[in-house]
Amino acid sequence: MGRLRRALARRRPGLVSLRTTFAVSFAAVTAAVTILVGILSYGAAARLVRFDQQSVFTQVVQDVQGEVRQHQMVPEDFSSSRPGHDVVRPSRTDVQVLGAQGQIVDHGSPVLPVTAKDRAVARAGEAGKTVQYKDVRVSDDLFRVATVALGDGRGAVQVAQEFSDTEDLLRALQQRTLVLMSAVVVAAGLFGWWLARRITRRLVMLTSAAEDVARTRRLGIEVPVAGLDEVGRLGRAFDRMLGRLAQSEEDQRRLVQDAGHELRTPLTSLRTNISLLRRIDELPPETRDDLVADLTQEARELTDLVNELVDLAAGQSDTEPPQRVDIADIAEDVVGLARRRTGREIVLRARGDTSTDGRPGMLQRAVSNLVENAAKFDRGGTSPIEVAVTGPARPGTVRVEVLDRGPGIADGDLIRIFDRFYRAADARSQPGSGLGLSIVREVAMAHGGAPFAFRREGGGSVIGFTVGGVIPGGARKEG
């Protein structure tokens, strides 16, 4: 694990990690949402505040217009010093009264500017005539101003509302909104980095493990497999894959070692006999015939050994596509070929549903090896060799047995006859490499089954295998 952690620290220049991409994406999405919400919220708040202020000002102006139209009023009626004066002054609202000539009779606080239009309104004969200004600067403040005529040239009333404070408030709100949005974006980036680190930690470790395998070619490394999510499943699948690769590598190494060991004997004998060929003219005729016979036999055994090694390696490759097969039909083809080769009587018995999912070439090789093994060790026998195919003990499972009346198998050899190159003591004089039954075991295990062997009552042996409802390279079939 320490080696994996050190591998995490290594960075390749020019590559952007998944963690950085995730964090930046998370921050970008959060920033976009925050900015959009901030803009919409500020806009709605600003419109609401401005509309409220405008509504208050409009209502005050309408009240003044209604008063002067209903009653003949004079400037003194609006004086701030007169008790019960007629203008209601909301907060941030200023009132200033003009005389008949537009002069200021009662100044506001602050004093509002009087323009020519305001004086014209003060001299107007129509009560309620109004002139309005949106942006009037008084000192450092901005006002909206409306001048309402009293009628008959009696003067006018100026109503002003300060809105610079409102704009200052909205600017402060805008600044605070920007600060808050910036804080949210920064917090989102940090949280996204933390979240990305937490989510991708096992994935990064798994990636580093894969890179270590590619760099060192060592399959026995520790793989993080914690968690029940997709990353955990990926880790477990990767761990199983490495396990199978390691097992395959070990099987290949053992096969090469065993093959090398077994090939030395016939090659040594061939080399010895070939050296005698240099003096073949000096040998008597009988010795020459024996030498040629030995060479022929050794070449045949070496050929058989190489062929069986190729068959064993092909059985391990799993390149043949699986399909639905009937093992009874495969056994029938094998039995017909064996009858023609050996001239022996071979009986086939099939019972039940013998179809399953598997690789037909591998299954045919396994059945053929069993029949050839029985014929080889029951050479000269008069009793028929029996082949029994039975199914199913459970859905998809089939049992194959080959029964002979040969010398049988010693109890100590029963558990070892499926080992590679293993040959019982009383069988070492027979031709063969000791790989035939090993191929049977490989085929059976590749199909979810197992080989078996036991002594037959009355003499002989029963050797066979089962296939267990498993598609090679796939999943177990449901019953």
Side-chain angles (χ1 to χ4, degrees):
M1 186 61 69
R3 180 165 52 82
L4 288 181
R5 294 188 184 278
R6 290 193 299 272
L8 293 180
R10 293 193 296 267
R11 298 285 185 181
R12 291 185 179 180
L15 295 181
V16 179
S17 67
L18 179 62
R19 179 182 302 167
T20 302
T21 302
F22 186 87
V24 171
S25 301
F26 186 87
V29 171
T30 304
V33 173
T34 302
I35 292 173
L36 179 62
V37 172
I39 292 175
L40 294 177
S41 300
Y42 172 77
R47 285 193 300 271
L48 181 61
V49 171
R50 289 180 179 131
F51 178 78
D52 182 64
Q53 294 295 317
Q54 180 67 46
S55 298
V56 171
F57 180 73
T58 301
Q59 186 62 47
V60 172
V61 173
Q62 291 175 351
D63 290 343
V64 173
Q65 290 173 335
E67 286 290 331
V68 299
R69 286 169 181 166
Q70 294 177 9
H71 309 285
Q72 290 185 356
M73 305 185 73
V74 296
E76 288 76 11
D77 292 330
F78 294 94
S79 174
S80 60
S81 61
R82 178 179 177 178
H85 58 82
D86 296 273
V87 178
V88 177
R89 293 172 171 84
S91 62
R92 297 193 300 278
T93 301
D94 189 17
V95 177
Q96 183 168 280
V97 184
L98 302 180
Q101 301 302 318
Q103 75 280 14
I104 298 176
V105 175
D106 187 359
H107 65 79
S109 180
V111 178
L112 301 175
V114 180
T115 66
K117 290 183 179 181
D118 297 327
R119 296 187 184 94
V121 170
R123 294 191 296 268
E126 179 187 353
K129 182 178 180 181
T130 305
V131 61
Q132 294 193 28
Y133 309 93
K134 291 185 178 180
D135 300 317
V136 178
R137 181 169 294 279
V138 181
S139 298
D140 293 330
D141 299 322
L142 288 176
F143 290 79
R144 56 173 61 93
V145 181
T147 304
V148 182
L150 299 179
D152 298 330
R154 292 189 296 271
V157 178
Q158 286 184 302
V159 181
Q161 182 187 56
E162 181 185 355
F163 64 87
S164 58
D165 288 347
T166 301
E167 295 301 320
D168 291 340
L169 176 63
L170 292 177
R171 279 193 294 272
L173 177 62
Q174 184 182 49
Q175 292 174 355
R176 293 183 180 181
T177 302
L178 290 175
V179 171
L180 180 61
M181 287 192 300
S182 301
V184 170
V185 171
V186 173
L190 295 176
F191 179 74
W193 179 263
W194 174 83
L195 186 63
R197 180 182 179 87
R198 182 177 180 85
I199 292 176
T200 62
R201 179 180 57 187
R202 289 175 296 147
L203 189 59
V204 171
M205 295 176 66
L206 187 60
T207 303
S208 297
E211 291 175 346
D212 282 350
V213 171
R215 185 179 65 259
T216 64
R217 298 186 180 182
R218 291 193 292 112
L219 303 176
I221 68 170
E222 185 178 359
V223 178
V225 295
L228 301 177
D229 55 5
E230 287 80 0
V231 178
R233 291 170 52 194
L234 178 62
R236 284 186 287 274
F238 186 67
D239 188 55
R240 289 194 296 269
M241 179 189 70
L242 289 182
R244 293 195 63 179
L245 288 175
Q247 182 62 45
S248 176
E249 184 180 51
E250 176 63 19
D251 290 343
Q252 184 182 33
R253 185 186 62 81
R254 287 177 45 237
L255 178 62
V256 171
Q257 289 179 345
D258 293 344
H261 175 75
E262 292 298 320
L263 286 171
R264 288 191 186 96
T265 300
L267 288 175
T268 301
S269 179
L270 279 173
R271 191 162 49 247
T272 301
N273 288 330
I274 290 174
S275 65
L276 292 176
L277 289 177
R278 300 177 183 275
R279 297 184 295 112
I280 191 170
D281 294 336
E282 303 174 8
L283 300 178
E286 310 85 37
T287 305
R288 295 177 186 177
D289 293 340
D290 292 341
L291 179 59
V292 172
D294 286 345
L295 287 172
T296 302
Q297 179 64 26
E298 288 163 358
R300 185 183 300 111
E301 290 186 6
L302 186 60
T303 301
D304 293 341
L305 177 59
V306 171
N307 289 336
E308 289 184 329
L309 285 172
V310 171
D311 289 342
L312 184 60
Q316 292 177 343
S317 66
D318 291 348
T319 56
E320 186 182 15
Q323 62 188 57
R324 195 70 180 175
V325 296
D326 191 333
I327 298 185
D329 292 342
I330 293 176
E332 184 175 3
D333 293 339
V334 170
V335 166
L337 180 61
R339 285 172 181 157
R340 292 190 295 271
R341 280 182 176 178
T342 64
R344 294 287 303 274
E345 181 182 0
I346 304 176
V347 179
L348 172 64
R349 293 184 284 105
R351 184 173 70 250
D353 182 11
T354 58
S355 60
T356 187
D357 293 289
R359 292 186 164 93
M362 294 175 65
L363 294 170
Q364 184 175 20
R365 188 180 304 119
V367 177
S368 178
N369 285 354
L370 290 177
V371 174
E372 290 178 1
N373 186 77
K376 179 173 63 176
F377 288 100
D378 190 18
R379 193 181 302 274
T382 57
S383 299
I385 298 173
E386 301 178 27
V387 179
V389 183
T390 309
R394 55 187 176 85
T397 62
V398 180
R399 181 182 178 93
V400 179
E401 296 179 335
V402 175
L403 303 87
D404 63 60
R405 289 297 181 183
I409 304 173
D411 293 336
D413 295 327
L414 284 174
I415 61 174
R416 299 193 59 191
I417 62 171
F418 295 102
D419 292 345
R420 292 176 182 172
F421 302 107
Y422 180 78
R423 303 178 70 186
D426 55 357
R428 289 171 185 168
S429 60
Q430 298 287 344
S433 62
L435 283 176
L437 295 183
S438 176
I439 294 174
V440 172
R441 182 190 65 181
E442 297 289 341
V443 173
M445 295 181 66
H447 287 76
F452 58 85
F454 54 89
R455 298 172 65 86
R456 185 182 182 186
E457 292 186 7
S461 305
V462 179
I463 305 177
F465 65 94
T466 60
V467 293
V470 170
I471 302 174
R476 182 176 295 275
K477 292 179 64 65
E478 297 295 334

